[in-house]
Amino acid sequence: MNATPGTISPFDISFASRTFVGAGVANFARDELARLRVRRAGVVTSRSVLASEVFKAWLAGFGPDAPVFSAIKPHTPRETVIEAARFFRAHHCDGCVSFGGGSAIDAAKGVALALAGGIDDVRDFDRFKGEWSKTGASTSFELKGDVPLHVSI
């Protein structure tokens, strides 16, 4: 595929993902994680969601012993992601459920990168920044481990 410099070329992004929509789909999380062969999933959420009756009812059905990290802050600061990654490491999680809004989802993605990329300090995220040039994006980095699978509710 040839492109004129300074233009955006067509591209394809393929993900092995599934989307469930409708009443009761939050209950599919445990089955989906089992299908993905996740042995121990941690949960990422905010303190306000943690206190909700909806979350409490879901967690009771999902697995009340699941490790829950609930210190997610708005806009997902790197420091919070590092705390969450340390929490996931300490609980030997190989998968993640984000329950809530954008900050929880972004934190879960950051946790996956931190665990797979060996990130244990906020400055380590900079190794994974993409660089843009007039000819397009150029990114080169190596992950040190498997990327934990993520289910979002």
Side-chain angles (χ1 to χ4, degrees):
M1 183 178 322
N2 293 327
T4 305
T7 65
I8 297 175
S9 301
F11 59 92
D12 178 37
I13 300 175
S14 299
F15 295 102
S17 65
R18 295 167 31 138
T19 302
F20 301 99
V21 178
V25 297
N27 298 322
F28 294 170
R30 184 177 45 216
D31 294 339
E32 184 65 7
L33 289 163
R35 185 186 74 77
L36 296 169
R37 296 189 177 103
V38 171
R39 293 178 306 279
R40 182 157 173 85
V43 181
V44 174
T45 193
S46 65
R47 287 191 173 107
S48 60
V49 171
L50 178 72
S52 73
E53 293 304 317
V54 170
F55 179 80
K56 290 174 187 175
W58 172 81
L59 186 62
F62 178 74
D65 61 334
V68 178
F69 183 85
S70 63
I72 298 304
K73 295 181 175 92
H75 311 296
T76 322
R78 289 180 176 191
E79 294 81 7
T80 303
V81 173
I82 294 296
E83 287 175 43
R86 289 177 179 156
F87 178 88
F88 271 58
R89 282 186 190 105
H91 288 88
H92 308 286
C93 298
D94 62 341
C96 179
V97 176
S98 59
F99 195 109
S103 294
I105 293 167
D106 289 346
K109 291 186 282 187
V111 167
L113 177 60
L115 296 178
I119 296 172
D120 198 42
D121 183 271
V122 294
R123 295 171 298 221
D124 293 340
F125 281 109
D126 291 340
R127 290 186 286 133
F128 297 92
K129 282 185 177 177
E131 300 209 6
W132 289 91
S133 69
K134 289 188 177 193
T135 59
S138 172
T139 304
S140 177
F141 55 83
E142 188 175 318
L143 297 176
K144 297 179 180 183
D146 293 333
V147 177
L149 297 169
H150 172 212
V151 172
S152 179
I153 298 175

